[in-house]
Amino acid sequence: MTRKVVFFTTGMTAGGAERVVATLANALDSRGFEVVIAMVKGEESAYDLPPGVRLRSANLNPGLRNLPAAIQFYRQLLREESPDVVASFSTKSDIIALIFRLLFRSESQLIVSDRADPYTRNRRLQLACNVLYRWSDGLVCQSESVADYYRKRCKRASIFVIPNPLSEDSVGETTKKCRSRTVIAVGRLSEQKNHRLAISAFKRIRERFPELTMKIYGSGPLENELTEMIRMADLEDNVTLEGVVPNVMRQHSDAALFLFTSNYEGYPNALMEAAAAGIPTVTTDFSPGTAREIIEDGVNGYVVPVGGEDEAVEASIKALSGKLDLAEVIAASQRVRKRHRTELILESWLNVFGPLGRKRLPL
């Protein structure tokens, strides 16, 4: 009997959680699973999927107004697909699936996955997640820090820690050759990513290393503001906004530095890929604390306080001055690759799914 897994998510735009869904869907399809990706909004995937992976969409804008329609879509999805397992991959889809579970009986296993920083949610949403997640068959967290949050608040939940899988295509081979003079930053051009800090810090870094340039990859609502900031800082010849480009770390495996300045994150693929590519890194110690699970402070990079421009500048100068041992950076990159291998991550997910037989929980 073909085993069926439905991934349920808000959409399949070019984001970190969506990339994980695509990676897992590809891996399961190659193993003979029937895979469906069900979306609340949107009709297409920003990531390549094999022909065997089907997409379904409710074509709704997420929000309380459309919650009844979203629940009805989910109910129809379960009736028509009759999956062995549903794996939900966004806060909104988690809530939809769990409300349905409380209202109706379902024979499908329901695994929810928190892909965000629970500490930064508003209190109402925190309470909703803390109450609802305990009704899942399993709660997957990307990091120990997020798992610790839920261990204190969802004592009935079965909690698992599974980091994101690494696509080898996204990073290529680590390089032992001389570093370029390019600093890279990756992330949506939004308040969360705090690219203002990266630009301000880079201006000061160039006082020590005037030959450097910086490329910022991503798109978002702050594009015009950041463009003006670059102009006002007289950095137009040195800092460029490159837009959304796939596999940045493969293209820049010889980058001088990866500068990551987020205020908060879930489990950032960009940081994981930079570490796997062996690029010296300076990152903020963003909430909920995941940076230190990826970057070994003083080995393959430096972890600095959130918003700490002085600390970011000082750490960047140390990294650019050769204070990090290249052999240790490369050795750390191999540890990151090993821990995030797609096959290893897939096995962890399959262990969470358990025997893929139908399961009915008493409500």
Short mmCIF file of all heavy atoms in Angstrom, two decimals, residues 9-73:
data_model
loop_
_atom_site.label_atom_id
_atom_site.label_comp_id
_atom_site.label_asym_id
_atom_site.label_seq_id
_atom_site.Cartn_x
_atom_site.Cartn_y
_atom_site.Cartn_z
N THR A 9 0.48 23.91 4.68
CA THR A 9 1.21 25.13 4.98
C THR A 9 0.46 26.34 4.44
O THR A 9 -0.51 26.19 3.69
CB THR A 9 2.64 25.06 4.38
OG1 THR A 9 3.40 26.19 4.82
CG2 THR A 9 2.60 25.02 2.85
N THR A 10 0.91 27.51 4.81
CA THR A 10 0.23 28.73 4.36
C THR A 10 0.38 28.92 2.86
O THR A 10 -0.56 29.24 2.16
CB THR A 10 0.78 29.96 5.11
OG1 THR A 10 0.66 29.75 6.51
CG2 THR A 10 0.00 31.21 4.72
N GLY A 11 1.57 28.75 2.34
CA GLY A 11 1.84 28.89 0.92
C GLY A 11 3.21 28.33 0.61
O GLY A 11 3.92 27.87 1.50
N MET A 12 3.61 28.39 -0.66
CA MET A 12 4.91 27.87 -1.07
C MET A 12 5.73 28.95 -1.76
O MET A 12 6.27 28.77 -2.84
CB MET A 12 4.72 26.65 -1.98
CG MET A 12 4.32 25.39 -1.23
SD MET A 12 5.59 24.82 -0.05
CE MET A 12 6.87 24.25 -1.15
N THR A 13 5.80 30.11 -1.10
CA THR A 13 6.64 31.19 -1.59
C THR A 13 8.10 30.89 -1.26
O THR A 13 8.42 29.87 -0.66
CB THR A 13 6.21 32.52 -0.95
OG1 THR A 13 6.21 32.36 0.48
CG2 THR A 13 4.82 32.92 -1.40
N ALA A 14 9.00 31.80 -1.63
CA ALA A 14 10.44 31.58 -1.46
C ALA A 14 10.86 31.89 -0.03
O ALA A 14 11.50 32.89 0.25
CB ALA A 14 11.23 32.44 -2.45
N GLY A 15 10.50 31.02 0.90
CA GLY A 15 10.85 31.19 2.31
C GLY A 15 11.54 29.96 2.86
O GLY A 15 11.63 28.92 2.19
N GLY A 16 12.03 30.08 4.09
CA GLY A 16 12.78 28.99 4.69
C GLY A 16 11.95 27.74 4.94
O GLY A 16 12.36 26.62 4.60
N ALA A 17 10.75 27.91 5.55
CA ALA A 17 9.90 26.75 5.82
C ALA A 17 9.46 26.09 4.53
O ALA A 17 9.39 24.86 4.43
CB ALA A 17 8.68 27.18 6.65
N GLU A 18 9.16 26.91 3.52
CA GLU A 18 8.72 26.38 2.24
C GLU A 18 9.83 25.56 1.57
O GLU A 18 9.56 24.54 0.94
CB GLU A 18 8.29 27.53 1.33
CG GLU A 18 7.06 28.28 1.82
CD GLU A 18 7.36 29.37 2.84
OE1 GLU A 18 8.53 29.47 3.28
OE2 GLU A 18 6.44 30.12 3.20
N ARG A 19 11.06 26.03 1.74
CA ARG A 19 12.18 25.27 1.17
C ARG A 19 12.32 23.91 1.85
O ARG A 19 12.62 22.90 1.20
CB ARG A 19 13.47 26.06 1.31
CG ARG A 19 14.66 25.36 0.66
CD ARG A 19 15.86 26.28 0.54
NE ARG A 19 16.86 25.71 -0.33
CZ ARG A 19 17.77 26.40 -0.98
NH1 ARG A 19 17.80 27.71 -0.87
NH2 ARG A 19 18.66 25.82 -1.74
N VAL A 20 12.10 23.87 3.16
CA VAL A 20 12.16 22.60 3.88
C VAL A 20 11.07 21.66 3.39
O VAL A 20 11.30 20.46 3.18
CB VAL A 20 12.05 22.84 5.40
CG1 VAL A 20 11.94 21.51 6.14
CG2 VAL A 20 13.25 23.63 5.90
N VAL A 21 9.84 22.19 3.22
CA VAL A 21 8.75 21.37 2.70
C VAL A 21 9.12 20.77 1.35
O VAL A 21 8.93 19.57 1.10
CB VAL A 21 7.45 22.19 2.59
CG1 VAL A 21 6.38 21.42 1.81
CG2 VAL A 21 6.92 22.55 3.97
N ALA A 22 9.66 21.61 0.46
CA ALA A 22 10.04 21.13 -0.87
C ALA A 22 11.12 20.05 -0.79
O ALA A 22 11.06 19.04 -1.49
CB ALA A 22 10.51 22.30 -1.73
N THR A 23 12.11 20.26 0.07
CA THR A 23 13.19 19.29 0.22
C THR A 23 12.67 17.95 0.73
O THR A 23 13.02 16.89 0.20
CB THR A 23 14.27 19.84 1.18
OG1 THR A 23 14.80 21.06 0.66
CG2 THR A 23 15.41 18.84 1.35
N LEU A 24 11.82 18.00 1.76
CA LEU A 24 11.26 16.77 2.31
C LEU A 24 10.31 16.09 1.32
O LEU A 24 10.30 14.86 1.20
CB LEU A 24 10.53 17.06 3.62
CG LEU A 24 11.41 17.50 4.79
CD1 LEU A 24 10.54 17.88 5.99
CD2 LEU A 24 12.39 16.40 5.19
N ALA A 25 9.53 16.89 0.60
CA ALA A 25 8.61 16.32 -0.39
C ALA A 25 9.38 15.60 -1.48
O ALA A 25 9.00 14.50 -1.91
CB ALA A 25 7.74 17.43 -0.99
N ASN A 26 10.46 16.20 -1.95
CA ASN A 26 11.30 15.55 -2.96
C ASN A 26 11.87 14.23 -2.45
O ASN A 26 11.90 13.22 -3.16
CB ASN A 26 12.45 16.49 -3.37
CG ASN A 26 12.00 17.54 -4.36
OD1 ASN A 26 11.30 17.25 -5.31
ND2 ASN A 26 12.41 18.77 -4.15
N ALA A 27 12.36 14.26 -1.20
CA ALA A 27 12.98 13.06 -0.63
C ALA A 27 11.95 11.95 -0.44
O ALA A 27 12.23 10.77 -0.72
CB ALA A 27 13.65 13.41 0.70
N LEU A 28 10.76 12.29 0.05
CA LEU A 28 9.72 11.28 0.25
C LEU A 28 9.25 10.71 -1.09
O LEU A 28 9.02 9.50 -1.22
CB LEU A 28 8.54 11.88 1.01
CG LEU A 28 8.77 12.15 2.50
CD1 LEU A 28 7.63 12.97 3.08
CD2 LEU A 28 8.90 10.84 3.28
N ASP A 29 9.11 11.57 -2.08
CA ASP A 29 8.68 11.12 -3.41
C ASP A 29 9.68 10.12 -3.98
O ASP A 29 9.30 9.10 -4.57
CB ASP A 29 8.54 12.32 -4.35
CG ASP A 29 8.18 11.92 -5.76
OD1 ASP A 29 7.00 11.59 -6.00
OD2 ASP A 29 9.08 11.92 -6.63
N SER A 30 10.98 10.38 -3.77
CA SER A 30 12.01 9.48 -4.29
C SER A 30 11.98 8.12 -3.59
O SER A 30 12.49 7.13 -4.13
CB SER A 30 13.39 10.11 -4.14
OG SER A 30 13.77 10.19 -2.78
N ARG A 31 11.37 8.07 -2.41
CA ARG A 31 11.26 6.81 -1.67
C ARG A 31 9.93 6.09 -1.92
O ARG A 31 9.63 5.09 -1.28
CB ARG A 31 11.40 7.07 -0.17
CG ARG A 31 12.82 7.41 0.26
CD ARG A 31 12.94 7.20 1.75
NE ARG A 31 14.28 7.46 2.24
CZ ARG A 31 14.71 7.09 3.45
NH1 ARG A 31 13.89 6.45 4.27
NH2 ARG A 31 15.93 7.37 3.85
N GLY A 32 9.13 6.64 -2.80
CA GLY A 32 7.90 5.96 -3.16
C GLY A 32 6.67 6.40 -2.41
O GLY A 32 5.60 5.80 -2.54
N PHE A 33 6.77 7.45 -1.60
CA PHE A 33 5.60 7.97 -0.90
C PHE A 33 4.72 8.76 -1.87
O PHE A 33 5.22 9.36 -2.83
CB PHE A 33 6.02 8.91 0.23
CG PHE A 33 6.57 8.22 1.45
CD1 PHE A 33 7.88 7.74 1.45
CD2 PHE A 33 5.81 8.06 2.59
CE1 PHE A 33 8.41 7.11 2.56
CE2 PHE A 33 6.33 7.43 3.70
CZ PHE A 33 7.62 6.95 3.69
N GLU A 34 3.44 8.78 -1.61
CA GLU A 34 2.55 9.72 -2.29
C GLU A 34 2.54 11.00 -1.47
O GLU A 34 2.26 10.96 -0.27
CB GLU A 34 1.14 9.15 -2.42
CG GLU A 34 0.22 10.06 -3.23
CD GLU A 34 -1.17 9.46 -3.43
OE1 GLU A 34 -1.37 8.28 -3.07
OE2 GLU A 34 -2.05 10.19 -3.94
N VAL A 35 2.85 12.12 -2.10
CA VAL A 35 3.02 13.38 -1.39
C VAL A 35 2.11 14.45 -1.97
O VAL A 35 2.05 14.64 -3.20
CB VAL A 35 4.49 13.87 -1.45
CG1 VAL A 35 4.65 15.18 -0.67
CG2 VAL A 35 5.44 12.81 -0.90
N VAL A 36 1.40 15.12 -1.09
CA VAL A 36 0.54 16.25 -1.46
C VAL A 36 0.96 17.46 -0.62
O VAL A 36 1.20 17.33 0.58
CB VAL A 36 -0.94 15.94 -1.21
CG1 VAL A 36 -1.81 17.15 -1.56
CG2 VAL A 36 -1.37 14.71 -2.00
N ILE A 37 1.08 18.60 -1.25
CA ILE A 37 1.32 19.86 -0.53
C ILE A 37 0.05 20.69 -0.63
O ILE A 37 -0.36 21.07 -1.73
CB ILE A 37 2.52 20.63 -1.10
CG1 ILE A 37 3.80 19.79 -0.98
CG2 ILE A 37 2.69 21.96 -0.37
CD1 ILE A 37 5.03 20.45 -1.61
N ALA A 38 -0.57 20.93 0.51
CA ALA A 38 -1.82 21.69 0.56
C ALA A 38 -1.53 23.08 1.12
O ALA A 38 -0.92 23.22 2.17
CB ALA A 38 -2.85 20.98 1.42
N MET A 39 -1.99 24.11 0.40
CA MET A 39 -1.69 25.49 0.76
C MET A 39 -2.98 26.26 1.04
O MET A 39 -3.99 26.04 0.37
CB MET A 39 -0.93 26.17 -0.38
CG MET A 39 0.32 25.44 -0.83
SD MET A 39 1.04 26.18 -2.32
CE MET A 39 -0.18 25.69 -3.56
N VAL A 40 -2.89 27.16 2.00
CA VAL A 40 -4.03 28.04 2.26
C VAL A 40 -4.15 29.07 1.15
O VAL A 40 -5.24 29.41 0.71
CB VAL A 40 -3.88 28.74 3.63
CG1 VAL A 40 -5.03 29.71 3.87
CG2 VAL A 40 -3.82 27.70 4.75
N LYS A 41 -3.01 29.58 0.66
CA LYS A 41 -3.04 30.59 -0.41
C LYS A 41 -2.00 30.24 -1.47
O LYS A 41 -1.07 29.47 -1.23
CB LYS A 41 -2.77 31.98 0.15
CG LYS A 41 -1.37 32.16 0.72
CD LYS A 41 -1.13 33.59 1.18
CE LYS A 41 0.30 33.76 1.71
NZ LYS A 41 0.56 35.15 2.15
N GLY A 42 -2.16 30.85 -2.64
CA GLY A 42 -1.22 30.61 -3.72
C GLY A 42 -1.51 29.32 -4.45
O GLY A 42 -2.19 28.42 -3.93
N GLU A 43 -1.00 29.21 -5.67
CA GLU A 43 -1.25 28.03 -6.48
C GLU A 43 0.02 27.35 -6.96
O GLU A 43 -0.03 26.25 -7.50
CB GLU A 43 -2.10 28.40 -7.71
CG GLU A 43 -3.50 28.91 -7.36
CD GLU A 43 -4.32 29.22 -8.60
OE1 GLU A 43 -3.71 29.37 -9.68
OE2 GLU A 43 -5.55 29.30 -8.49
N GLU A 44 1.19 27.98 -6.76
CA GLU A 44 2.43 27.45 -7.28
C GLU A 44 3.48 27.39 -6.19
O GLU A 44 3.36 28.04 -5.14
CB GLU A 44 2.94 28.30 -8.45
CG GLU A 44 2.01 28.33 -9.65
CD GLU A 44 2.55 29.19 -10.77
OE1 GLU A 44 3.55 29.90 -10.54
OE2 GLU A 44 1.98 29.14 -11.87
N SER A 45 4.53 26.63 -6.46
CA SER A 45 5.67 26.53 -5.54
C SER A 45 6.86 27.29 -6.11
O SER A 45 7.16 27.17 -7.31
CB SER A 45 6.06 25.06 -5.33
OG SER A 45 7.29 24.96 -4.63
N ALA A 46 7.53 28.06 -5.25
CA ALA A 46 8.73 28.76 -5.67
C ALA A 46 9.91 27.81 -5.82
O ALA A 46 10.94 28.19 -6.37
CB ALA A 46 9.08 29.86 -4.66
N TYR A 47 9.75 26.58 -5.32
CA TYR A 47 10.83 25.60 -5.38
C TYR A 47 10.43 24.45 -6.29
O TYR A 47 9.25 24.09 -6.40
CB TYR A 47 11.15 25.08 -3.97
CG TYR A 47 11.62 26.17 -3.05
CD1 TYR A 47 10.77 26.74 -2.11
CD2 TYR A 47 12.91 26.67 -3.14
CE1 TYR A 47 11.20 27.75 -1.27
CE2 TYR A 47 13.35 27.69 -2.31
CZ TYR A 47 12.50 28.22 -1.38
OH TYR A 47 12.92 29.24 -0.57
N ASP A 48 11.42 23.86 -6.93
CA ASP A 48 11.17 22.76 -7.86
C ASP A 48 10.64 21.54 -7.13
O ASP A 48 11.13 21.17 -6.05
CB ASP A 48 12.46 22.39 -8.60
CG ASP A 48 12.93 23.47 -9.55
OD1 ASP A 48 12.08 24.27 -9.99
OD2 ASP A 48 14.14 23.53 -9.85
N LEU A 49 9.64 20.93 -7.73
CA LEU A 49 9.04 19.71 -7.19
C LEU A 49 8.95 18.67 -8.29
O LEU A 49 8.74 19.01 -9.46
CB LEU A 49 7.63 20.00 -6.65
CG LEU A 49 7.52 20.98 -5.48
CD1 LEU A 49 6.06 21.37 -5.25
CD2 LEU A 49 8.12 20.38 -4.21
N PRO A 50 9.09 17.40 -7.96
CA PRO A 50 8.96 16.35 -8.97
C PRO A 50 7.51 16.23 -9.43
O PRO A 50 6.59 16.63 -8.72
CB PRO A 50 9.44 15.09 -8.25
CG PRO A 50 9.22 15.37 -6.80
CD PRO A 50 9.42 16.85 -6.63
N PRO A 51 7.29 15.65 -10.60
CA PRO A 51 5.92 15.53 -11.13
C PRO A 51 4.97 14.78 -10.20
O PRO A 51 3.76 15.02 -10.23
CB PRO A 51 6.12 14.77 -12.45
CG PRO A 51 7.54 15.02 -12.83
CD PRO A 51 8.30 15.13 -11.55
N GLY A 52 5.52 13.87 -9.39
CA GLY A 52 4.65 13.07 -8.53
C GLY A 52 4.08 13.81 -7.34
O GLY A 52 3.15 13.32 -6.69
N VAL A 53 4.62 14.98 -7.00
CA VAL A 53 4.14 15.76 -5.85
C VAL A 53 3.02 16.67 -6.32
O VAL A 53 3.22 17.51 -7.20
CB VAL A 53 5.27 16.57 -5.21
CG1 VAL A 53 4.72 17.47 -4.10
CG2 VAL A 53 6.35 15.64 -4.66
N ARG A 54 1.84 16.50 -5.75
CA ARG A 54 0.68 17.30 -6.15
C ARG A 54 0.50 18.52 -5.24
O ARG A 54 0.76 18.44 -4.03
CB ARG A 54 -0.60 16.45 -6.11
CG ARG A 54 -0.64 15.40 -7.20
CD ARG A 54 -1.97 14.67 -7.22
NE ARG A 54 -2.16 13.81 -6.06
CZ ARG A 54 -3.09 13.98 -5.13
NH1 ARG A 54 -3.93 15.00 -5.21
NH2 ARG A 54 -3.21 13.13 -4.13
N LEU A 55 0.02 19.61 -5.82
CA LEU A 55 -0.29 20.83 -5.08
C LEU A 55 -1.80 21.02 -5.02
O LEU A 55 -2.50 20.81 -6.02
CB LEU A 55 0.34 22.05 -5.74
CG LEU A 55 1.87 22.15 -5.75
CD1 LEU A 55 2.30 23.37 -6.55
CD2 LEU A 55 2.40 22.23 -4.33
N ARG A 56 -2.29 21.40 -3.84
CA ARG A 56 -3.69 21.78 -3.68
C ARG A 56 -3.73 23.10 -2.93
O ARG A 56 -2.90 23.35 -2.06
CB ARG A 56 -4.47 20.72 -2.89
CG ARG A 56 -4.58 19.39 -3.59
CD ARG A 56 -5.53 18.46 -2.87
NE ARG A 56 -6.88 19.03 -2.73
CZ ARG A 56 -7.97 18.30 -2.50
NH1 ARG A 56 -7.87 16.98 -2.38
NH2 ARG A 56 -9.14 18.87 -2.37
N SER A 57 -4.70 23.95 -3.27
CA SER A 57 -4.77 25.24 -2.61
C SER A 57 -6.21 25.65 -2.36
O SER A 57 -7.11 25.39 -3.16
CB SER A 57 -4.09 26.32 -3.48
OG SER A 57 -4.23 27.60 -2.87
N ALA A 58 -6.40 26.32 -1.21
CA ALA A 58 -7.71 26.89 -0.88
C ALA A 58 -7.89 28.26 -1.52
O ALA A 58 -9.00 28.79 -1.57
CB ALA A 58 -7.86 27.01 0.63
N ASN A 59 -6.79 28.88 -1.96
CA ASN A 59 -6.82 30.22 -2.55
C ASN A 59 -7.51 31.23 -1.63
O ASN A 59 -8.37 32.01 -2.04
CB ASN A 59 -7.50 30.21 -3.92
CG ASN A 59 -6.62 29.60 -4.98
OD1 ASN A 59 -5.43 29.90 -5.05
ND2 ASN A 59 -7.19 28.72 -5.79
N LEU A 60 -7.10 31.20 -0.36
CA LEU A 60 -7.66 32.12 0.62
C LEU A 60 -6.56 33.03 1.17
O LEU A 60 -5.40 32.64 1.22
CB LEU A 60 -8.27 31.34 1.80
CG LEU A 60 -9.45 30.43 1.50
CD1 LEU A 60 -9.74 29.55 2.71
CD2 LEU A 60 -10.68 31.25 1.13
N ASN A 61 -6.93 34.21 1.58
CA ASN A 61 -6.02 35.06 2.33
C ASN A 61 -6.09 34.65 3.80
O ASN A 61 -7.17 34.67 4.39
CB ASN A 61 -6.39 36.54 2.19
CG ASN A 61 -6.11 37.06 0.81
OD1 ASN A 61 -5.08 36.73 0.21
ND2 ASN A 61 -7.02 37.87 0.27
N PRO A 62 -4.96 34.26 4.40
CA PRO A 62 -5.01 33.82 5.80
C PRO A 62 -5.51 34.94 6.71
O PRO A 62 -5.20 36.11 6.52
CB PRO A 62 -3.54 33.49 6.11
CG PRO A 62 -2.92 33.24 4.79
CD PRO A 62 -3.62 34.17 3.83
N GLY A 63 -6.32 34.58 7.69
CA GLY A 63 -6.85 35.56 8.63
C GLY A 63 -8.10 35.03 9.28
O GLY A 63 -8.71 34.05 8.82
N LEU A 64 -8.51 35.67 10.36
CA LEU A 64 -9.68 35.19 11.10
C LEU A 64 -10.93 35.18 10.25
O LEU A 64 -11.78 34.30 10.39
CB LEU A 64 -9.89 36.08 12.34
CG LEU A 64 -8.90 35.90 13.48
CD1 LEU A 64 -9.17 36.91 14.59
CD2 LEU A 64 -8.97 34.47 14.03
N ARG A 65 -11.06 36.14 9.34
CA ARG A 65 -12.26 36.22 8.52
C ARG A 65 -12.43 34.95 7.67
O ARG A 65 -13.55 34.49 7.43
CB ARG A 65 -12.20 37.45 7.62
CG ARG A 65 -13.41 37.61 6.70
CD ARG A 65 -13.30 38.88 5.87
NE ARG A 65 -13.29 40.06 6.71
CZ ARG A 65 -13.20 41.31 6.24
NH1 ARG A 65 -13.08 41.51 4.93
NH2 ARG A 65 -13.21 42.32 7.07
N ASN A 66 -11.33 34.40 7.22
CA ASN A 66 -11.38 33.22 6.35
C ASN A 66 -11.13 31.92 7.10
O ASN A 66 -10.99 30.87 6.46
CB ASN A 66 -10.36 33.36 5.22
CG ASN A 66 -10.79 34.39 4.19
OD1 ASN A 66 -11.97 34.50 3.87
ND2 ASN A 66 -9.84 35.15 3.67
N LEU A 67 -11.09 31.98 8.44
CA LEU A 67 -10.82 30.77 9.20
C LEU A 67 -11.86 29.67 8.95
O LEU A 67 -11.49 28.51 8.73
CB LEU A 67 -10.73 31.09 10.70
CG LEU A 67 -10.40 29.91 11.62
CD1 LEU A 67 -9.06 29.28 11.25
CD2 LEU A 67 -10.37 30.37 13.09
N PRO A 68 -13.17 29.96 8.96
CA PRO A 68 -14.15 28.90 8.69
C PRO A 68 -13.94 28.25 7.32
O PRO A 68 -14.03 27.03 7.18
CB PRO A 68 -15.50 29.61 8.78
CG PRO A 68 -15.24 30.79 9.66
CD PRO A 68 -13.85 31.23 9.33
N ALA A 69 -13.64 29.08 6.31
CA ALA A 69 -13.42 28.54 4.96
C ALA A 69 -12.15 27.69 4.92
O ALA A 69 -12.10 26.67 4.23
CB ALA A 69 -13.33 29.68 3.95
N ALA A 70 -11.13 28.12 5.66
CA ALA A 70 -9.89 27.35 5.71
C ALA A 70 -10.10 26.00 6.39
O ALA A 70 -9.55 24.98 5.95
CB ALA A 70 -8.81 28.15 6.43
N ILE A 71 -10.90 25.99 7.45
CA ILE A 71 -11.20 24.73 8.14
C ILE A 71 -12.00 23.81 7.22
O ILE A 71 -11.77 22.59 7.18
CB ILE A 71 -11.95 25.00 9.45
CG1 ILE A 71 -11.02 25.71 10.45
CG2 ILE A 71 -12.49 23.70 10.05
CD1 ILE A 71 -11.71 26.16 11.72
N GLN A 72 -12.93 24.39 6.47
CA GLN A 72 -13.71 23.60 5.53
C GLN A 72 -12.81 23.01 4.43
O GLN A 72 -12.97 21.84 4.04
CB GLN A 72 -14.82 24.44 4.89
CG GLN A 72 -15.68 23.71 3.89
CD GLN A 72 -16.38 22.49 4.49
OE1 GLN A 72 -16.76 22.49 5.66
NE2 GLN A 72 -16.55 21.44 3.69
N PHE A 73 -11.84 23.79 3.96
CA PHE A 73 -10.87 23.29 2.97
C PHE A 73 -10.09 22.12 3.54
O PHE A 73 -9.88 21.10 2.88
CB PHE A 73 -9.93 24.41 2.55
CG PHE A 73 -8.69 23.93 1.82
CD1 PHE A 73 -8.76 23.51 0.51
CD2 PHE A 73 -7.46 23.89 2.47
CE1 PHE A 73 -7.62 23.06 -0.17
CE2 PHE A 73 -6.32 23.44 1.82
CZ PHE A 73 -6.40 23.03 0.49
#
